[in-house]
C-alpha cells in the first residue's frame, strides 16, 4: 500500500510539472480556448513592425523570445515586433517576462500599422521595466504593469531584474484590466470620457492615434527599447 501511495504521489508531481512546462498549453487551457503565440523554438507568426521579415536583433534564448540590446543601452535597433497571424478585439493575453538591470520594454495591443509610424503610434502600452534601476522609474505610471504614462500599476508587485513576471491583459467590451503576478493592478475602460481625459493628461495628448482611438482591434506587439528582455509563455484567447 505504501508503495502504491508513493507512486500515486510521484504521478501527481509529474503531472504538475508537465502542466507547468514552458510554451505549452495544459488540457484545461486548450478547453478554455487559449492558443500559443510562441512555440518556444521559432518566431513563426512574428515579424518586425512595418516590414515582412523578423527583426534581426531577436533570438531564442532560455526557451524565450529575447530582444538583444545594441552597443548602447536604451537605444533600440528598430526591432519592435508584432504577431501578424491574427488581429484581436476582445481578448485575454498572458505573457511571462524578465528584463536585465536598468531595462525597459513594453507590450502593445490594438496595434494598427501605419507606414512611417512607430508601433506605439496608436497602441496602448503595458509597461515592462526594472523598477529599481531603470532611468524611467521616476513616475508611478511608468512602472512595470502600468498603462504607460496614463495609469499606475497598484499595488506595485513587480519582481526585480532577472526574475520572471507574469502579466495578464484582458479587454472585454472596452473594459480592460492588467493582472501582474496574480493581482489586478490596473483597471480602465477604453473609448469613454474618462479614457480621453487620461489621454489628455498624458504624453499622447497630441497624438492623432490616441485622440481618435485606439482601434477596436489590432495586433499584439513587443518593444525593442534597447535592453535585453525575454518573453515566454505567450498565450491568448478570444473573449
Amino acid at each position: 500500500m505504501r508503495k502504491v501511495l508513493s507512486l500515486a504521489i510521484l504521478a501527481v508531481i509529474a503531472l504538475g510539472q508537465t502542466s507547468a512546462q514552458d510554451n505549452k498549453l495544459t488540457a484545461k487551457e486548450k478547453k478554455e480556448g487559449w492558443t500559443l503565440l510562441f512555440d518556444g523554438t521559432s518566431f513563426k507568426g512574428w515579424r518586425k513592425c512595418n516590414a515582412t521579415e523578423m527583426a534581426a536583433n531577436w533570438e531564442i534564448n532560455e526557451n524565450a523570445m529575447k530582444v538583444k540590446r545594441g552597443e548602447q543601452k536604451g537605444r533600440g535597433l528598430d526591432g519592435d515586433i508584432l504577431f501578424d497571424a491574427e488581429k484581436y478585439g476582445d481578448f485575454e493575453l498572458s505573457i511571462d517576462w524578465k528584463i536585465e538591470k536598468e531595462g525597459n520594454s513594453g507590450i502593445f495591443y490594438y496595434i494598427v500599422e501605419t507606414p512611417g509610424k512607430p508601433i506605439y503610434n496608436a497602441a496602448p502600452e503595458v509597461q515592462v521595466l526594472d523598477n529599481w534601476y531603470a532611468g524611467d522609474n521616476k513616475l508611478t505610471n511608468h512602472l512595470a504593469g502600468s498603462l504607460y504614462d496614463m495609469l499606475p500599476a497598484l499595488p506595485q508587485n513587480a519582481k526585480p531584474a532577472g526574475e520572471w513576471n507574469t502579466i495578464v491583459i484582458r479587454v472585454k467590451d472596452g473594459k480592460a484590466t492588467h493582472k501582474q503576478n496574480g493581482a489586478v493592478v490596473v483597471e480602465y475602460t477604453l473609448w469613454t470620457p474618462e479614457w480621453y481625459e487620461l489621454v489628455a493628461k498624458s504624453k499622447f495628448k497630441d497624438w492623432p492615434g490616441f485622440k481618435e482611438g485606439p482601434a477596436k482591434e489590432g495586433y499584439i506587439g513587443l518593444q525593442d527599447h534597447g535592453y535585453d528582455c525575454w518573453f515566454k509563455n505567450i498565450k491568448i484567447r478570444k473573449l
Side-chain angles (χ1 to χ4, degrees):
M1 179 63 74
R2 183 174 297 174
K3 183 177 180 180
V4 172
L5 288 173
S6 297
L7 289 172
I9 291 170
L10 288 172
V12 170
I13 293 173
L15 180 62
Q17 291 174 338
T18 300
S19 65
Q21 283 184 326
D22 282 343
N23 309 308
K24 302 289 184 183
L25 293 176
T26 65
K28 180 175 182 291
E29 287 173 328
K30 291 178 181 179
K31 187 175 181 180
E32 292 173 344
W34 291 91
T35 58
L36 285 173
L37 303 190
F38 172 56
D39 62 13
T41 62
S42 74
F43 290 110
K44 182 179 179 181
W46 293 86
R47 62 172 172 80
K48 181 178 174 179
C49 184
N50 283 317
T52 57
E53 73 283 352
M54 180 61 189
N57 61 320
W58 287 76
E59 66 178 9
I60 308 298
N61 181 279
E62 297 185 40
N63 296 320
M65 297 169 55
K66 178 188 177 185
V67 58
K68 301 182 292 181
R69 63 177 170 88
E71 294 182 0
Q72 184 174 348
K73 281 188 176 183
R75 180 168 293 180
L77 299 175
D78 193 26
D80 296 336
I81 63 172
L82 54 81
F83 184 79
D84 78 344
E86 190 163 358
K87 294 180 180 179
Y88 295 92
D90 290 342
F91 68 89
E92 189 169 16
L93 171 72
S94 180
I95 299 181
D96 292 350
W97 64 267
K98 73 173 181 177
I99 200 160
E100 69 168 318
K101 185 177 179 180
E102 301 179 5
N104 189 334
S105 187
I107 301 165
F108 302 98
Y109 68 89
Y110 289 169
I111 297 166
V112 176
E113 286 183 289
T114 304
K117 298 292 185 179
I119 196 170
Y120 47 81
N121 178 57
E125 177 183 354
V126 180
Q127 177 74 312
V128 169
L129 196 79
D130 169 17
N131 286 348
W132 284 262
Y133 296 101
D136 196 22
N137 67 353
K138 306 302 185 294
L139 300 176
T140 56
N141 60 11
H142 285 200
L143 298 180
S146 297
L147 176 64
Y148 179 68
D149 207 59
M150 297 175 73
L151 282 173
L154 298 173
Q156 183 46 246
N157 62 351
K159 298 176 184 177
E163 296 187 23
W164 287 102
N165 295 267
T166 298
I167 188 77
V168 179
I169 304 159
R170 189 181 194 275
V171 183
K172 174 66 173 174
D173 299 326
K175 295 180 180 179
T177 59
H178 303 177
K179 182 186 288 186
Q180 184 166 257
N181 296 326
V184 174
V185 293
V186 180
E187 296 181 275
Y188 53 95
T189 305
L190 299 163
W191 313 299
T192 61
E194 292 76 17
W195 167 261
Y196 291 109
E197 184 176 347
L198 289 172
V199 171
K201 294 178 180 178
S202 75
K203 65 188 293 182
F204 309 114
K205 61 182 180 180
D206 296 319
W207 294 28
F210 277 82
K211 292 171 68 175
E212 300 166 6
K216 295 295 178 74
E217 67 171 14
Y219 296 119
I220 302 298
L222 304 172
Q223 186 178 38
D224 167 24
H225 206 306
Y227 297 92
D228 287 347
C229 189
W230 295 255
F231 302 91
K232 67 178 181 179
N233 297 323
I234 307 172
K235 51 195 173 186
I236 196 167
R237 63 173 174 172
K238 296 179 180 179
L239 299 176

